[in-house]
Amino acid sequence: LGYDDIECTPPASSSSWALYTLVLLPLTGLCKHLAELRMERAERRKGARSGLWLPLVPSIMNYVVGWAAGNTALFKLAEVRAASGCEVEEAGGCTALNLG
């Protein structure tokens, strides 16, 4: 059984992505809060280091939620385009929903 023999999973729907984004909001918010709290405590203790990676956590959490929200919108647009039934793009057809 090789890598090429493994079947790919179907893409998630936009509603699945939306749910994923909503679940990420409190989790990433908690991670961001804990990282900021630890950095504040390290600053209060003179000479204590908070680690090189800790200041990056808030930005990374923002990126994670942003990517999930972007995928939600992208998959929703793809679903709307597929539901419109437009397969062939001719003289002005389907250009408002063109994802390619």
Side-chain angles (χ1 to χ4, degrees), residues 7 10-11 27 37 59 91:
E7 200 171 314
L27 294 177
L37 183 65
S59 294

Side-chain angles (χ1 to χ4, degrees), residues 11-47:
S13 65
S14 64
S15 58
S16 295
W17 274 105
L19 180 62
Y20 175 68
T21 304
L22 290 176
V23 169
L24 277 178
L25 284 173
L27 294 177
T28 56
L30 176 65
C31 290
K32 185 177 175 180
H33 173 71
L34 292 174
E36 290 171 345
L37 183 65
R38 185 161 175 163
M39 285 188 298
E40 287 175 15
R41 287 183 180 169
E43 286 177 12
R44 279 189 236 139
R45 289 180 285 159
K46 304 259 193 271

